[in-house]
Amino acid sequence: MKKYLSVLLLIGLLISSCDKGSQESVSTLEKDIQELMANMSIEDKIGQMQQVFDGFYPNDDDLIKAVREGKVGSFLNVMGADRISELQRIALEESKHGIPLLFGRDVIHGYRTIFPIPLAMASSWEPELIEKSMRISSVEASSMGINWTFAPMIDVTWDPRWGRIAESCGEDPYLASVYASAMVKGIQGDLNDQTAVAACAKHFVGYGMSEAGRDYNTTYITEPLLRNVHLRPFEAAKDAGALTFMSAFNDLNGVPTSGNEFTLKTILRDEWGFDGTVVSDWASIEEMISHGYAANRKHAAEIAVNAGVDMEMATTTYAENLKVLVEEGKVSEEVINERVANILRVKMKLGLFTKPVSQHVSVDTILAPSHLKVAREMARKSIVLLKNESNTLPLPKDIRSLAVVGPLANAPHNQMGTWVFDGNGDDSVTPKVAIENLLGKRMNFVAGMEYSRDKSTAGFKEAINAARKSDAILFFAGEESCLSGEANSRGIIDFPGVQKELLIELKKTGKPLVLVVMAGRPLGIGDEINMADAVLYAWHGGTMAGPALADLVFGDYSPSGKLPVTFVKGAGQIPFYYYRKNGGRPSSPEDFTHIDDIPRNSKQLSLGFKTMHLDYGIAPLLPFGYGLTYTEFQYSNFSMSDAKLKANGTLTVSADVRNSGNYEAEEIVQLYVRDRVGSITRPIKELKGFEKVHLKPGNLRKVTFLIEPEDLAFFNGNDYVIEPGDFDVWIGPNSDEGLQGEFSLE
Ligand code: GLC
């Protein structure tokens, strides 16, 4: 016993010394910051608060002069490892205070090796692989001198009309939080390492609720919704150590997020204790004039700096006005010092004062085979099998002939998706090339259309002929990458162009018809899904989308992806999210009479008096969490450790999952909970956990989840509460089905 105690004592001493050590390192850091700032003039401090894009200065002499004079704290989109290294050397060796620069760039889902768009990666439900992908992005970006990326984008959204859903992690706050943490860790890695890149949690906050899915539009979000949904991924990013945040373009309940003291100060700084840098989103400070919230540039600068934006991106309201605002007493020197300390803290945490500046583009870094291998695995696991009638898929590798048709079968740039600043379509392996490598002349490729919006049917005949002489058809349809991403919202979320018409013609050939969709959003393609025998939703899968699709089409890998966002039947159903409220007159998918079936002379006011649409009913096209596989998974033997969860206890919930089919495959087992009665109305379901299991045919795995009272906490408009009461719990394959139990929280 004595020995045990002495060991405990030793551990205690070690922890306290480590603790002291980490405390010492923090205080050293803070001391360094204060010492540095003590020698900085107000002009020097304001210089740190300016991020300029390359080309901001008329020529390089002016740019270098500005660096030497300490007028720039960060650059955006400066390209070239040598150029960046030289600018960093000048900042460190030739500027007044030797303060290094942050070099920012949007490396959202890959630098040169492009991974699937974030919404696609979110379909993998594999945070470890996402972290690995983001790490590779940073290894490639940092080899080019980039040390700050504006990712992860973790805006929760319910609206597929919004172009930036492509960049998001989907509709669920729990899943988005898991991804936020993984992405931050992947992007930043070890801060002492040369490959560390500062992450930027964006867009803080609520941007994904832009009204009508129209980008840059206004947002109204109640505080319960803000705290129970939209803030959660950002808190997870902060907890994961994100060094920076970015404000947003939207006004939130009337206050632009770049001038919003409630979000930027009360929540981010006071409640969460975030001590990193907040950067504006492009001209979002200046845009407060257009919002009608700032009278002019000087007023905009005053609002933003007092609210909590440390660094101004692209525009120069700070550089123009802060000195005068301090002299006029409208902005205190303390505020300026706080802003600049946040910036210097990030630069010091990133080791920029001490790391060597020379970046060498190691040829084996950019597009390294190991990077492409991970990109292919990420793309494979991002694809969702939506339908597989009579096991159309996988196709036999020895198929006699296969028609590969459609405007996205051989679209090397478009398959990379949105936000691919440094991606190059020439690096892409398209589905057409990947399949040709496998089948050679047994593949009959005819695009049939030039591009997804093509209205011409001139190519149909050749495509149909190719289909007629083949044993099966792969039809690659969807959206060009320019139809999603920033500023690319769509009011109609159908297939653009005449893709549906071509699908109809291909269907008439009677051949097995596999629809492969490449898009940046969930599309309202119920009819097209009904027409096809099998459907793979491949999103925009990045550089290696082609080989990844071939792996699935020919059965080298069984699809495992699950939807991170609800698929609606059409734009009229938006907003739709699975964690909706029950309402006072809930309806179920069964109890509705379709608009076409309402008796012709019906005099009844309504056949239901329940919440639904006469044409859409209440069910979406496909539910959150949905995805098929080549095998079958059976759920059985639901069990709980107790029917009661004590206030300081834990509850385990389990179910057996068995691979009862013929393929080795992965299943994403999901845990949902419903709080039946709350001090505010509660969602009909909330995702509280998931586990991805890999099972050979015939194998079984008991999947167990732990539920603690904290998992049931929510913000009720006044406070975060954990309320005793009755709960439902499900373990299942998606948000619509599963084995159910119930428990009460004491
Ligand atoms: C853009 C985007 C933001 C991006 C920034 C820099 O407008 O909203 O996500 O990081 O500007 O390119």
Side-chain angles (χ1 to χ4, degrees):
M1 187 57 181
K2 203 169 169 206
K3 180 169 168 297
Y4 178 64
L5 276 176
S6 60
V7 167
L8 270 182
L9 191 64
L10 178 66
I11 291 169
L13 284 172
L14 269 177
I15 289 171
S16 67
S17 68
C18 292
D19 208 16
K20 205 157 68 205
S22 61
Q23 279 165 8
E24 266 165 20
S25 66
V26 169
S27 62
T28 311
L29 180 77
E30 295 309 317
K31 198 160 68 62
D32 292 349
I33 291 172
Q34 296 313 318
E35 275 172 13
L36 182 51
M37 283 176 58
N39 301 318
M40 292 171 72
S41 67
I42 183 74
E43 290 83 357
D44 298 335
K45 292 172 183 175
I46 294 169
Q48 284 300 308
M49 300 166 73
Q50 179 70 59
Q51 179 184 62
V52 298
F53 52 85
D54 204 2
F56 177 82
Y57 290 96
N59 55 59
D60 259 11
D61 291 347
D62 288 3
L63 182 146
I64 288 166
K65 181 166 172 288
V67 172
R68 284 198 178 107
E69 291 170 354
K71 289 193 173 129
V72 180
S74 169
F75 279 105
L76 168 66
N77 295 336
V78 168
M79 291 315 293
D82 295 342
R83 177 168 166 75
I84 287 177
S85 296
E86 177 55 10
L87 286 171
Q88 192 70 301
R89 186 198 61 74
I90 293 168
L92 283 167
E93 296 173 7
E94 299 176 15
S95 74
K96 207 160 115 190
H97 299 288
I99 299 172
L101 298 158
L102 284 165
F103 291 93
R105 189 155 177 84
D106 292 284
V107 183
I108 309 295
H109 53 105
Y111 179 74
R112 183 70 187 274
T113 300
I114 301 299
F115 293 88
I117 56 173
L119 189 60
M121 287 197 275
S123 304
S124 71
W125 298 53
E126 202 159 313
E128 306 77 18
L129 186 57
I130 292 173
E131 180 174 344
K132 199 171 172 183
S133 302
M134 293 295 98
R135 186 82 292 268
I136 287 169
S137 300
S138 289
V139 165
E140 292 194 354
S142 60
S143 79
M144 299 298 285
I146 290 156
N147 55 29
W148 187 15
T149 180
F150 306 119
M153 189 277 215
I154 43 182
D155 303 303
V156 172
T157 186
W158 304 333
D159 200 329
R161 294 170 298 184
W162 190 46
R164 302 196 80 162
I165 193 170
E167 277 177 83
S168 80
C169 299
E171 76 187 45
D172 182 71
Y174 176 89
L175 200 55
S177 302
V178 170
Y179 293 144
S181 179
M183 289 174 167
V184 166
K185 288 173 185 161
I187 290 167
Q188 297 190 163
D190 171 356
L191 295 182
N192 299 315
D193 193 279
Q194 196 66 30
T195 63
V197 173
C200 184
K202 74 182 186 183
H203 306 82
F204 193 65
V205 65
Y207 183 25
M209 294 292 277
S210 296
E211 279 189 346
R214 206 169 66 237
D215 208 357
Y216 314 124
N217 202 1
T218 192
T219 62
Y220 285 98
I221 307 174
T222 63
E223 190 172 353
L225 185 59
L226 190 69
R227 289 182 179 276
N228 293 328
V229 173
H230 297 281
L231 286 170
R232 285 170 55 189
F234 286 94
E235 188 169 14
K238 188 274 299 178
D239 291 343
L243 290 176
T244 74
F245 270 54
M246 181 186 286
S247 65
F249 291 124
N250 56 299
D251 62 329
L252 172 61
N253 305 328
V255 181
T257 53
S258 296
N260 196 311
E261 199 157 323
F262 174 61
T263 53
L264 291 173
K265 185 178 181 309
T266 307
I267 292 175
L268 186 60
R269 304 286 183 184
D270 300 347
E271 287 185 20
W272 294 356
F274 177 67
D275 65 358
T277 299
V278 173
V279 64
S280 64
D281 186 353
W282 204 259
S284 58
I285 292 176
E286 192 180 83
E287 288 173 10
M288 287 198 280
I289 301 167
S290 168
H291 275 286
Y293 193 73
N296 52 47
R297 297 164 63 80
K298 181 177 175 186
H299 187 203
E302 177 190 351
I303 294 167
V305 77
N306 282 328
V309 177
D310 302 310
M311 186 181 278
E312 179 172 14
M313 179 190 286
T315 48
T316 54
T317 65
Y318 279 14
E320 294 159 23
N321 299 291
L322 284 185
K323 186 164 186 285
V324 171
L325 286 163
V326 170
E327 287 159 0
E328 292 172 353
K330 291 179 179 166
V331 174
S332 68
E333 184 113 28
E334 288 68 35
V335 163
I336 299 293
N337 289 341
E338 230 177 273
R339 302 281 160 267
V340 176
N342 293 336
I343 295 167
L344 295 177
R345 190 172 297 112
V346 167
K347 294 184 174 183
M348 288 181 182
K349 283 186 176 178
L350 212 41
L352 299 186
F353 284 83
T354 52
K355 280 177 182 172
V357 295
S358 59
Q359 306 285 349
H360 296 294
V361 182
S362 39
V363 177
D364 59 4
T365 297
I366 300 291
L367 288 169
S370 59
H371 296 177
L372 295 172
K373 185 164 177 279
V374 175
R376 178 173 181 165
E377 185 189 3
M378 190 73 254
R380 262 202 308 261
K381 297 192 169 185
S382 302
I383 297 166
V384 186
L385 178 62
L386 302 184
K387 181 181 181 183
N388 194 21
E389 214 57 15
S390 48
N391 297 322
T392 304
L393 287 174
L395 297 178
K397 285 182 181 172
D398 61 357
I399 188 167
R400 183 188 60 83
S401 75
L402 174 64
V404 170
V405 179
L408 287 147
N410 196 34
H413 176 78
N414 283 309
Q415 76 180 43
M416 292 193 292
T418 185
W419 279 118
V420 284
F421 275 3
D422 304 288
N424 185 332
D426 296 343
D427 305 326
S428 293
V429 183
T430 65
K432 182 254 181 187
V433 170
I435 293 166
E436 193 167 35
N437 291 343
L438 285 171
L439 302 187
K441 297 243 180 294
R442 290 182 287 142
M443 181 194 76
N444 307 313
F445 168 66
V446 177
M449 294 168 61
E450 291 302 309
Y451 57 108
S452 71
R453 284 166 294 132
D454 194 353
K455 297 268 195 295
S456 162
T457 59
F460 280 25
K461 189 165 181 303
E462 191 190 358
I464 292 157
N465 288 342
R468 286 202 178 113
K469 66 183 185 182
S470 302
D471 294 349
I473 307 163
L474 287 182
F475 179 48
F476 291 84
E479 292 179 319
E480 296 142 271
S481 53
C482 66
L483 302 184
S484 58
E486 183 176 349
N488 299 326
S489 295
R490 294 180 64 201
I492 297 168
I493 55 170
D494 302 345
F495 272 157
V498 289
Q499 297 179 97
K500 182 173 184 177
E501 289 74 3
L502 179 50
L503 182 66
I504 291 167
E505 293 309 314
L506 293 171
K507 177 74 180 170
K508 288 176 185 169
T509 66
K511 303 284 183 168
L513 176 56
V514 178
L515 170 62
V516 181
V517 183
M518 300 172 98
R521 59 166 51 84
L523 293 170
I525 52 171
D527 292 348
E528 291 84 345
I529 291 173
N530 288 338
M531 277 191 267
D533 298 301
V535 182
L536 287 168
Y537 215 85
W539 310 101
H540 286 132
T543 306
M544 297 300 282
L549 271 158
D551 292 341
L552 269 63
V553 165
F554 295 105
D556 287 338
Y557 179 76
S558 171
S560 62
K562 298 238 178 186
L563 299 179
V565 62
T566 300
F567 274 49
V568 291
K569 291 168 178 163
Q573 256 190 327
I574 297 168
F576 198 113
Y577 46 99
Y578 82 88
Y579 50 96
R580 58 187 167 83
K581 301 298 184 73
N582 205 36
R585 297 189 176 192
S587 68
S588 62
E590 302 73 41
D591 71 7
F592 109 95
T593 304
H594 190 275
I595 194 167
D596 295 341
D597 304 327
I598 295 173
R600 185 171 171 191
N601 304 314
S602 166
K603 297 281 183 290
Q604 283 179 271
L605 203 56
S606 166
L607 297 181
F609 293 100
K610 291 188 176 169
T611 183
M612 47 93 196
H613 292 106
L614 289 179
D615 29 30
Y616 287 144
I618 187 66
L621 180 64
L622 294 164
F624 173 87
Y626 175 87
L628 301 177
T629 174
Y630 291 155
T631 194
E632 298 284 326
F633 286 105
Q634 306 295 334
Y635 285 69
S636 63
N637 197 12
F638 181 93
S639 67
M640 293 171 40
S641 57
D642 198 327
K644 293 188 182 318
L645 172 56
K646 298 198 176 354
N648 52 6
T650 57
L651 182 71
T652 59
V653 186
S654 306
D656 289 344
V657 180
R658 195 168 76 84
N659 180 343
S660 55
N662 307 316
Y663 280 89
E664 183 172 344
E666 291 169 304
E667 170 70 341
I668 299 161
V669 182
Q670 299 157 45
L671 172 74
Y672 293 90
V673 164
R674 176 180 186 175
D675 182 353
R676 291 183 186 163
V677 178
S679 50
I680 57 171
T681 54
R682 310 286 291 117
I684 59 171
K685 260 185 192 180
E686 293 177 279
L687 181 71
K688 292 293 181 184
F690 64 90
E691 185 177 332
K692 196 166 191 176
V693 295
H694 186 129
L695 293 173
K696 292 186 185 330
N699 284 11
L700 175 143
R701 173 83 58 80
K702 175 182 280 298
V703 178
T704 299
F705 295 102
L706 199 65
I707 299 177
E708 299 174 319
E710 299 70 47
D711 300 325
L712 309 173
F714 66 99
F715 185 80
N716 69 356
N718 303 313
D719 210 340
Y720 285 95
V721 292
I722 300 173
E723 297 178 338
D726 297 333
F727 292 76
D728 295 300
V729 54
W730 293 265
I731 293 181
N734 60 61
S735 60
D736 237 9
E737 49 187 301
L739 302 178
Q740 182 171 3
E742 56 188 44
F743 66 91
S744 58
L745 171 64
E746 293 190 332

Short mmCIF file of all heavy atoms in Angstrom, two decimals, residues 76 106 150 164 167 202-203 207 246 249 281-282 313 419 421 486, ligand 1:
data_model
loop_
_atom_site.label_atom_id
_atom_site.label_comp_id
_atom_site.label_asym_id
_atom_site.label_seq_id
_atom_site.Cartn_x
_atom_site.Cartn_y
_atom_site.Cartn_z
N LEU A 76 -3.05 37.21 -47.84
CA LEU A 76 -4.05 36.25 -48.31
C LEU A 76 -3.73 35.97 -49.77
O LEU A 76 -3.50 36.91 -50.56
CB LEU A 76 -5.43 36.91 -48.20
CG LEU A 76 -6.62 36.27 -48.89
CD1 LEU A 76 -6.95 34.94 -48.25
CD2 LEU A 76 -7.82 37.21 -48.79
N ASP A 106 -7.47 29.55 -48.86
CA ASP A 106 -8.60 28.61 -48.68
C ASP A 106 -8.21 27.21 -49.13
O ASP A 106 -8.38 26.86 -50.30
CB ASP A 106 -9.80 29.10 -49.49
CG ASP A 106 -10.37 30.37 -48.92
OD1 ASP A 106 -11.05 30.28 -47.88
OD2 ASP A 106 -10.08 31.44 -49.48
N PHE A 150 -8.42 28.78 -44.25
CA PHE A 150 -9.75 29.21 -43.79
C PHE A 150 -10.71 28.02 -43.85
O PHE A 150 -11.62 27.95 -44.64
CB PHE A 150 -10.23 30.39 -44.65
CG PHE A 150 -9.24 31.51 -44.69
CD1 PHE A 150 -8.67 31.92 -45.86
CD2 PHE A 150 -8.84 32.13 -43.51
CE1 PHE A 150 -7.72 32.95 -45.88
CE2 PHE A 150 -7.90 33.16 -43.51
CZ PHE A 150 -7.34 33.57 -44.71
N ARG A 164 -23.38 26.89 -50.47
CA ARG A 164 -22.26 26.53 -49.58
C ARG A 164 -22.55 25.29 -48.75
O ARG A 164 -21.71 24.87 -47.96
CB ARG A 164 -21.90 27.73 -48.70
CG ARG A 164 -21.51 28.93 -49.53
CD ARG A 164 -20.78 29.99 -48.76
NE ARG A 164 -19.38 29.64 -48.60
CZ ARG A 164 -18.44 30.54 -48.28
NH1 ARG A 164 -18.78 31.81 -48.08
NH2 ARG A 164 -17.18 30.18 -48.15
N GLU A 167 -19.77 22.92 -48.89
CA GLU A 167 -18.59 23.10 -48.03
C GLU A 167 -18.86 22.68 -46.60
O GLU A 167 -17.94 22.66 -45.80
CB GLU A 167 -18.26 24.59 -47.93
CG GLU A 167 -17.49 25.23 -48.98
CD GLU A 167 -17.38 26.71 -48.65
OE1 GLU A 167 -16.49 27.09 -47.85
OE2 GLU A 167 -18.21 27.48 -49.14
N LYS A 202 -15.14 28.58 -39.32
CA LYS A 202 -15.94 29.59 -40.01
C LYS A 202 -17.27 29.01 -40.42
O LYS A 202 -17.42 27.79 -40.47
CB LYS A 202 -15.19 30.12 -41.24
CG LYS A 202 -15.14 29.15 -42.41
CD LYS A 202 -14.33 29.74 -43.56
CE LYS A 202 -14.39 28.86 -44.78
NZ LYS A 202 -13.58 29.35 -45.91
N HIS A 203 -18.28 29.90 -40.62
CA HIS A 203 -18.30 31.37 -40.50
C HIS A 203 -19.13 31.66 -39.26
O HIS A 203 -20.28 31.24 -39.17
CB HIS A 203 -18.96 31.96 -41.74
CG HIS A 203 -18.30 31.51 -43.02
ND1 HIS A 203 -18.57 30.32 -43.65
CD2 HIS A 203 -17.38 32.12 -43.80
CE1 HIS A 203 -17.86 30.23 -44.75
NE2 HIS A 203 -17.13 31.29 -44.88
N TYR A 207 -24.47 31.46 -40.49
CA TYR A 207 -24.51 31.77 -41.93
C TYR A 207 -25.33 30.74 -42.70
O TYR A 207 -25.95 31.05 -43.71
CB TYR A 207 -23.06 31.80 -42.38
CG TYR A 207 -22.72 32.16 -43.80
CD1 TYR A 207 -23.54 32.93 -44.61
CD2 TYR A 207 -21.51 31.71 -44.34
CE1 TYR A 207 -23.17 33.24 -45.92
CE2 TYR A 207 -21.13 32.03 -45.63
CZ TYR A 207 -21.95 32.78 -46.42
OH TYR A 207 -21.57 33.08 -47.71
N MET A 246 -13.43 32.87 -37.99
CA MET A 246 -13.76 33.89 -38.99
C MET A 246 -15.21 34.31 -38.79
O MET A 246 -16.09 33.46 -38.61
CB MET A 246 -13.59 33.32 -40.41
CG MET A 246 -13.91 34.32 -41.50
SD MET A 246 -13.88 33.59 -43.15
CE MET A 246 -12.13 33.39 -43.40
N PHE A 249 -20.75 36.84 -43.22
CA PHE A 249 -21.39 37.91 -43.99
C PHE A 249 -22.78 38.24 -43.47
O PHE A 249 -23.31 39.31 -43.72
CB PHE A 249 -21.53 37.49 -45.46
CG PHE A 249 -20.23 37.38 -46.21
CD1 PHE A 249 -19.88 36.20 -46.84
CD2 PHE A 249 -19.36 38.44 -46.28
CE1 PHE A 249 -18.69 36.08 -47.54
CE2 PHE A 249 -18.15 38.34 -46.97
CZ PHE A 249 -17.82 37.16 -47.60
N ASP A 281 -14.65 38.16 -42.56
CA ASP A 281 -14.74 37.42 -43.81
C ASP A 281 -14.69 38.45 -44.94
O ASP A 281 -15.62 39.22 -45.14
CB ASP A 281 -16.03 36.60 -43.90
CG ASP A 281 -16.03 35.73 -45.14
OD1 ASP A 281 -15.10 35.88 -45.96
OD2 ASP A 281 -16.93 34.90 -45.29
N TRP A 282 -13.57 38.42 -45.69
CA TRP A 282 -13.38 39.36 -46.79
C TRP A 282 -13.82 40.76 -46.33
O TRP A 282 -13.37 41.21 -45.26
CB TRP A 282 -14.09 38.87 -48.05
CG TRP A 282 -13.48 39.45 -49.27
CD1 TRP A 282 -13.95 40.50 -50.00
CD2 TRP A 282 -12.23 39.09 -49.88
NE1 TRP A 282 -13.09 40.79 -51.01
CE2 TRP A 282 -12.03 39.94 -50.98
CE3 TRP A 282 -11.28 38.11 -49.59
CZ2 TRP A 282 -10.90 39.87 -51.79
CZ3 TRP A 282 -10.16 38.02 -50.39
CH2 TRP A 282 -9.98 38.88 -51.50
N MET A 313 -9.77 41.44 -43.08
CA MET A 313 -9.39 40.80 -44.33
C MET A 313 -9.75 41.69 -45.50
O MET A 313 -10.89 42.16 -45.59
CB MET A 313 -10.09 39.44 -44.47
CG MET A 313 -9.76 38.71 -45.76
SD MET A 313 -10.80 37.26 -46.05
CE MET A 313 -10.14 36.09 -44.88
N TRP A 419 -14.25 25.33 -54.39
CA TRP A 419 -13.11 25.70 -53.54
C TRP A 419 -11.88 24.84 -53.82
O TRP A 419 -11.35 24.17 -52.93
CB TRP A 419 -13.45 25.61 -52.05
CG TRP A 419 -14.18 26.78 -51.50
CD1 TRP A 419 -15.43 26.76 -50.96
CD2 TRP A 419 -13.75 28.14 -51.42
NE1 TRP A 419 -15.81 28.01 -50.57
CE2 TRP A 419 -14.80 28.89 -50.84
CE3 TRP A 419 -12.61 28.83 -51.80
CZ2 TRP A 419 -14.72 30.26 -50.61
CZ3 TRP A 419 -12.52 30.20 -51.58
CH2 TRP A 419 -13.58 30.90 -50.99
N PHE A 421 -8.85 26.05 -55.22
CA PHE A 421 -7.91 27.07 -55.70
C PHE A 421 -6.69 26.45 -56.36
O PHE A 421 -6.24 26.89 -57.41
CB PHE A 421 -7.44 27.91 -54.52
CG PHE A 421 -8.35 29.05 -54.18
CD1 PHE A 421 -9.55 29.26 -54.86
CD2 PHE A 421 -8.03 29.94 -53.17
CE1 PHE A 421 -10.38 30.32 -54.55
CE2 PHE A 421 -8.87 31.01 -52.85
CZ PHE A 421 -10.04 31.20 -53.55
N GLU A 486 -19.71 29.10 -52.89
CA GLU A 486 -20.08 30.47 -52.52
C GLU A 486 -20.77 31.21 -53.66
O GLU A 486 -20.35 31.13 -54.81
CB GLU A 486 -18.86 31.28 -52.10
CG GLU A 486 -19.25 32.68 -51.65
CD GLU A 486 -18.10 33.49 -51.13
OE1 GLU A 486 -17.01 32.90 -50.92
OE2 GLU A 486 -18.28 34.71 -50.94
C1 GLC B 1 -14.82 34.28 -48.96
C2 GLC B 1 -15.51 33.26 -48.09
C3 GLC B 1 -14.63 32.73 -47.01
C4 GLC B 1 -13.21 32.67 -47.51
C5 GLC B 1 -12.74 34.09 -47.70
C6 GLC B 1 -11.30 34.16 -48.23
O1 GLC B 1 -15.69 35.28 -49.33
O2 GLC B 1 -16.76 33.60 -47.52
O3 GLC B 1 -15.15 31.45 -46.65
O4 GLC B 1 -12.38 32.00 -46.58
O5 GLC B 1 -13.59 34.83 -48.55
O6 GLC B 1 -11.24 33.64 -49.52
#
